[in-house]
Amino acid sequence: MRAQGAAASPEKMRAVIDELEALSPEGLDKRYFQTLRELLDISAQVQKHSQELQALSSSKAPEDVARREAILKEIQALSKRAVAQAQSLQAYVPAAPPTAKTP
């Protein structure tokens, strides 16, 4: 996964999240993994919109201009959702014990 980075498909990333959840210790909040999946879905939607924006970028047709504006609004809404999900994700992660080493 590290080698593919941002090029990793959402399906592969979802499989990794599923595997991590299966291997997670008891007591870890399951909402953590659900939130990761939601962030992954948001990322996939933004990537799809980005591709559509690139396809429409050079067009001056009124319908394409309107679609670009709509896509940008959708991306803004997705961005707000991603921020909210990232903030809630932090609440689901247990705090490190005081004796834990930091990287």
Side-chain angles (χ1 to χ4, degrees), residues 12-75:
K12 285 185 180 181
M13 293 304 298
R14 186 171 289 279
V16 169
I17 292 170
D18 292 343
E19 186 175 346
L20 287 173
E21 182 175 19
L23 297 171
S24 69
E26 288 293 319
L28 186 61
D29 195 333
K30 298 297 179 183
R31 294 177 295 177
Y32 174 79
F33 296 103
Q34 182 57 37
T35 303
L36 283 176
R37 288 182 191 95
E38 289 173 22
L39 284 167
L40 181 61
D41 291 342
I42 290 169
S43 175
Q45 289 173 330
V46 169
Q47 288 176 3
K48 180 182 169 189
H49 287 320
S50 178
Q51 290 171 346
E52 188 176 355
L53 274 175
Q54 286 179 352
L56 297 172
S57 66
S58 62
S59 175
K60 303 272 191 242
E63 62 273 6
D64 291 340
V65 171
R67 180 62 187 144
R68 280 196 307 263
E69 290 175 9
I71 291 170
L72 290 173
K73 287 180 184 177
E74 290 175 35
I75 289 174

